[in-house]
Amino acid sequence: MKKVISLLLGLVVAAAALAQSKVVTESIRSKFLGCEQKFNVYLPAGYDAARCYPVIYLLHGLYGEYHDWQTQGNMQTVADELIASGELLPVVIVMPNAGNPDIHHYQNGYFNVENWPYENFFFQEFLPAVEKQYNCGGRKGARAIMGLSMGGGGATVYAQRHPDLFSSCYAMSAWLDQKSGEVRPDSNSDSKFVLTAISVREHSALDYVEQADPATVEALKTVAWFLDCGDDDSLMPLSVELHLKMKKVGIHSELRIRNGIHNWEYWHTALRLSLPFASRNFSE
């Protein structure tokens, strides 16, 4: 009898283990970047490869890496709790890597720059490969994008340039432009910051809205937008400015200025707002 009970308990424990969510680390060889790019993928409890899931792309910030959302943002626990409470659909969350270890020869970030055509990699190699491998996304209504700081700006520009691909965009403490102060390649500032700042300036999310023609404005209206920044964050005025520019041309966006600064405590709490926001804006 004891052996039977022990066997049953073992089966229960095994079943519970199988039902847990997991975060796996993968890599993809990029022809565009000429290197391996690592990334993390969150798979919900009971993940079934035969079932198609919605997908969220979660981008890290400058000086960050693909594993930051897991190790510093504790995203797995947050996602598990939100799915258990019904606030988040079972979803695949993809956390790519934006940088190259050789920061002296490669600009960092999510945009196409000299020697680093990251946007080409993301849309032509990375997104199709990940969605095929994990049977997720596949269409605008099942795909969302979000990120923090540099990743918040990257997510915003991606959704602006590809509104046909994303149902929603959530920008946390977003680096949306670099207009304050002149930034030059020969500046004495950290090279990684300088090169990325130039790229951010060249891909301004603020200028994109200001220069949008009527057809582009209508396309941007098909994306659900959310801007979230701390009241003591130096980047806060950028979120306010983008919100006002979008409002001026009739693009609806949510704006939240909450108590906080540019740190992981803020972004961890932002996950509890951003993940349900993405879930609410997925369509059948």
Side-chain angles (χ1 to χ4, degrees), residues 141-154:
R143 189 185 294 119
I145 191 165
M146 58 184 66
L148 68 88
S149 194
M150 180 185 77

Side-chain angles (χ1 to χ4, degrees), residues 16-58:
L18 288 172
Q20 292 178 352
S21 71
K22 59 183 178 180
V23 173
V24 297
T25 299
E26 300 279 6
S27 67
I28 179 173
R29 178 72 187 178
S30 171
K31 292 181 180 179
F32 283 108
L33 304 180
C35 63
E36 290 282 333
Q37 282 292 91
K38 289 186 176 181
F39 60 97
N40 270 356
V41 180
Y42 166 87
L43 301 174
Y47 170 78
D48 179 0
R51 170 187 172 186
C52 189
Y53 291 81
V55 63
I56 296 173
Y57 290 90
L58 185 56

Side-chain angles (χ1 to χ4, degrees), residues 46-227:
Y47 170 78
D48 179 0
R51 170 187 172 186
C52 189
Y53 291 81
V55 63
I56 296 173
Y57 290 90
L58 185 56
L59 311 185
H60 67 74
L62 183 66
Y63 305 110
E65 295 184 80
Y66 66 94
H67 54 73
D68 284 357
W69 277 110
Q70 171 69 354
T71 58
Q72 299 189 67
N74 202 20
M75 59 75 51
Q76 184 176 7
T77 298
V78 175
D80 288 348
E81 292 175 354
L82 291 171
I83 291 174
S85 69
E87 298 172 80
L88 174 64
L89 293 171
V91 65
V92 171
I93 302 175
V94 180
M95 293 153 277
N97 200 57
N100 188 297
D102 186 0
I103 65 173
H104 299 294
H105 296 91
Y106 293 93
Q107 295 190 39
N108 187 245
Y110 297 98
F111 309 129
N112 285 348
V113 294
E114 186 179 359
N115 297 323
W116 192 249
Y118 189 91
E119 190 171 348
N120 287 351
F121 157 72
F122 187 93
F123 287 100
Q124 297 180 44
E125 292 179 328
F126 182 68
L127 185 150
V130 169
E131 296 190 2
K132 180 179 180 181
Q133 181 175 352
Y134 291 100
N135 197 15
C136 60
R139 58 187 178 82
K140 173 185 176 77
R143 189 185 294 119
I145 191 165
M146 58 184 66
L148 68 88
S149 194
M150 180 185 77
T156 303
V157 173
Y158 276 9
Q160 288 178 335
R161 292 169 176 255
H162 306 273
D164 57 316
L165 296 183
F166 301 104
S167 58
S168 70
C169 172
Y170 195 108
M172 312 171 197
S173 313
W175 192 11
L176 299 164
D177 203 337
Q178 182 62 38
K179 290 185 177 180
S180 58
E182 185 179 3
V183 181
R184 302 184 307 276
D186 59 350
S187 168
N188 292 324
S189 300
D190 173 75
S191 60
K192 194 168 189 176
F193 171 80
V194 171
L195 293 174
T196 308
I198 293 171
S199 175
V200 170
R201 173 78 275 271
E202 292 173 347
H203 298 82
S204 167
L206 303 179
D207 289 353
Y208 193 88
V209 172
E210 196 167 80
Q211 298 167 6
D213 58 29
T216 300
V217 169
E218 289 305 309
L220 294 177
K221 289 180 181 179
T222 68
V223 179
W225 302 94
F226 202 121
L227 304 167

Side-chain angles (χ1 to χ4, degrees), residues 227-247:
L227 304 167
D228 178 2
C229 198
D231 56 355
D232 291 318
D233 191 321
S234 63
L235 296 179
M236 182 268 288
L238 294 174
S239 290
V240 175
E241 186 176 353
L242 180 59
H243 174 74
L244 293 176
K245 286 182 180 295
M246 294 173 78
K247 186 174 183 178

